[in-house]
């Protein structure tokens, strides 16, 4: 689907490099800039594509996902807020399932910056009775920087649930996760490991002492993806494995083979937002050729 996004009919040309297009039933802002291509749906302020010029797609998107109002998109970078996981209904919060507003955009020779805003309304108040302003800012060029800022008086958990396109889950490794983790596959059991994480089946771990940068090494696609974390307490590593992938209606049976999630989050240590002190969560993504010497 990543390539098809950029051939969809334009419904509104915003600037020479920005346009609005329709993906299924969802409007999306599409970036076609000399430095990169990208796309963000208005529902969820959800990044569904980003690739620097000359690079293959960095962001994974399921071929079975539905682009329907109120339905979460499988893939991309969902914004999980104001809770992560099954702490409330819907799972991973409501921010990814409702429309946001494109509140500003700027561009220069290096790329574009898009800002999306969500404020409380009757729909959110029914799910979570707090007044808030949530801002998602995307700076897109040879790097991808995503910053989430929440203003109000509340405590939240959150994650930027990044799905990455890989060549083969059996060959990738992730370093920079730290050693201590909470294993959600094993009902929250705590564990320790040293060195790189490799994937031998369903994996769902919250690493509570991560390094500032996690790196995905992908020998099949001959590249590395750096995921730099900001204002975080945790990094989540996830791959559904074959059995769960087969059972998920919005993922193809073999979808797990070409994706891995390395997510910047605040899960074990919730964020506290005050009117005078917004809470922030951010990630910076970079891709580079793999040095195999």
């Amino acid at each position: 689907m990543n390539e098809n996004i950029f051939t969809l009919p334009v419904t509104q040309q915003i600037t020479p490099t920005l346009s609005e297009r329709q993906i299924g039933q969802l409007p999306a802002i599409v970036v076609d800039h000399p430095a990169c291509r990208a796309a963000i749906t208005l529902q969820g302020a959800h990044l569904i594509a980003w690739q620097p010029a000359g690079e293959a797609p960095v962001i994974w998107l399921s071929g079975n996902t539905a682009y329907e109002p109120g339905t979460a998109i499988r893939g991309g970078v969902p914004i999980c807020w104001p809770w992560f996981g099954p702490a409330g209904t819907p799972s991973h919060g409501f921010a990814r399932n409702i429309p946001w507003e494109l509140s500003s955009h700027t561009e220069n020779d290096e790329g574009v910056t898009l800002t999306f805003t969500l404020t409380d309304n009757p729909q959110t108040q029914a799910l979570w009775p707090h007044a808030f302003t949530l801002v998602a800012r995307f700076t897109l060029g040879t790097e991808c920087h995503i910053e989430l800022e929440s203003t109000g008086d509340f405590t939240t958990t959150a994650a930027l649930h990044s799905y990455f396109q890989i060549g083969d889950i059996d060959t990738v490794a992730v370093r920079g996760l730290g050693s201590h983790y909470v294993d959600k596959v094993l009902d929250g059991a705590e564990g320790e490991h040293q060195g790189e994480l490799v994937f031998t089946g369903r994996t769902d771990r919250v690493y509570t002492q991560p390094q500032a940068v996690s790196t995905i090494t992908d020998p099949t696609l001959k590249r590395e993806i750096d995921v730099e974390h900001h204002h975080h307490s945790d990094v989540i590593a996830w791959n559904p494995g074959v059995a769960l992938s087969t059972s998920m209606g919005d993922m193809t049976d073999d979808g797990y083979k070409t994706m891995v999630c390395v997510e910047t989050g605040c899960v074990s240590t919730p964020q506290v937002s005050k009117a005078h002190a917004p809470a922030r969560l951010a990630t910076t993504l970079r891709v580079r050729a793999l040095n195999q010497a």
Side-chain angles (χ1 to χ4, degrees), residues 161-213:
H161 195 317
S162 309
Y163 289 73
F164 295 102
Q165 181 77 42
I166 58 169
D168 185 351
I169 192 62
D170 291 333
T171 64
V172 301
V174 183
R175 65 180 185 271
L177 294 170
S179 59
H180 179 265
Y181 62 88
V182 176
D183 196 327
K184 297 171 68 179
V185 175
L186 299 178
D187 298 321
E190 297 186 33
E192 299 269 346
H193 87 236
Q194 301 296 324
E196 296 179 330
L197 171 67
V198 296
F199 297 84
T200 57
R202 182 182 174 189
T203 303
D204 193 353
R205 295 179 176 181
V206 178
Y207 284 85
T208 61
Q209 299 169 346
Q211 297 177 23
V213 179

Side-chain angles (χ1 to χ4, degrees), residues 81 94 98-101 116-125 128 130-135 151:
W81 191 92
F94 54 75
I98 58 180
W100 295 48
E101 176 188 359
F116 298 81
T117 304
L118 178 66
T119 56
D120 60 285
N121 56 56
Q123 182 182 358
T124 69
Q125 288 281 346
W128 191 63
H130 296 277
F132 68 87
T133 298
L134 190 61
V135 175
T151 302

Side-chain angles (χ1 to χ4, degrees), residues 77-276:
V77 184
I79 294 173
C80 302
W81 191 92
W83 55 79
F84 178 82
T89 302
S91 181
H92 286 321
F94 54 75
R96 64 180 182 153
N97 295 337
I98 58 180
W100 295 48
E101 176 188 359
L102 175 64
S103 49
S104 70
H105 55 86
T106 61
E107 55 189 275
N108 56 32
D109 291 344
E110 295 181 352
V112 304
T113 298
L114 304 176
T115 302
F116 298 81
T117 304
L118 178 66
T119 56
D120 60 285
N121 56 56
Q123 182 182 358
T124 69
Q125 288 281 346
L127 297 167
W128 191 63
H130 296 277
F132 68 87
T133 298
L134 190 61
V135 175
R137 187 173 295 106
F138 298 81
T139 303
L140 304 162
T142 56
E143 298 182 356
C144 171
H145 181 75
I146 307 169
E147 182 173 0
L148 189 66
E149 179 181 284
S150 58
T151 302
D153 189 3
F154 43 74
T155 300
T156 60
T157 55
L160 298 169
H161 195 317
S162 309
Y163 289 73
F164 295 102
Q165 181 77 42
I166 58 169
D168 185 351
I169 192 62
D170 291 333
T171 64
V172 301
V174 183
R175 65 180 185 271
L177 294 170
S179 59
H180 179 265
Y181 62 88
V182 176
D183 196 327
K184 297 171 68 179
V185 175
L186 299 178
D187 298 321
E190 297 186 33
E192 299 269 346
H193 87 236
Q194 301 296 324
E196 296 179 330
L197 171 67
V198 296
F199 297 84
T200 57
R202 182 182 174 189
T203 303
D204 193 353
R205 295 179 176 181
V206 178
Y207 284 85
T208 61
Q209 299 169 346
Q211 297 177 23
V213 179
S214 303
T215 299
I216 303 165
T217 300
D218 186 347
T220 304
L221 295 184
K222 297 180 174 62
R223 69 182 183 186
E224 291 191 316
I225 301 171
D226 286 335
V227 186
E228 184 174 353
H229 315 289
H230 313 272
H231 315 296
H232 65 300
S233 60
D234 311 280
V235 172
I236 302 96
W238 183 68
N239 180 276
V242 61
L244 184 57
S245 183
T246 302
S247 72
M248 297 166 67
D250 58 1
M251 182 179 281
T252 59
D253 289 354
D254 61 353
Y256 74 98
K257 292 183 177 180
T258 57
M259 57 73 60
V260 68
C261 289
V262 178
E263 313 163 31
T264 305
C266 285
V267 180
S268 63
T269 303
Q271 293 185 305
V272 178
S273 176
K274 299 291 185 182
H276 63 280

Side-chain angles (χ1 to χ4, degrees), residues 12-40:
Q12 179 187 1
Q13 194 71 47
I14 302 170
T15 73
T17 62
L18 297 179
S19 60
E20 184 175 319
R21 310 188 192 200
Q22 194 80 10
I23 301 176
Q25 300 178 42
L26 302 181
I29 305 302
V30 174
V31 177
D32 194 350
H33 185 278
C36 71
R37 299 199 301 179
I40 302 169

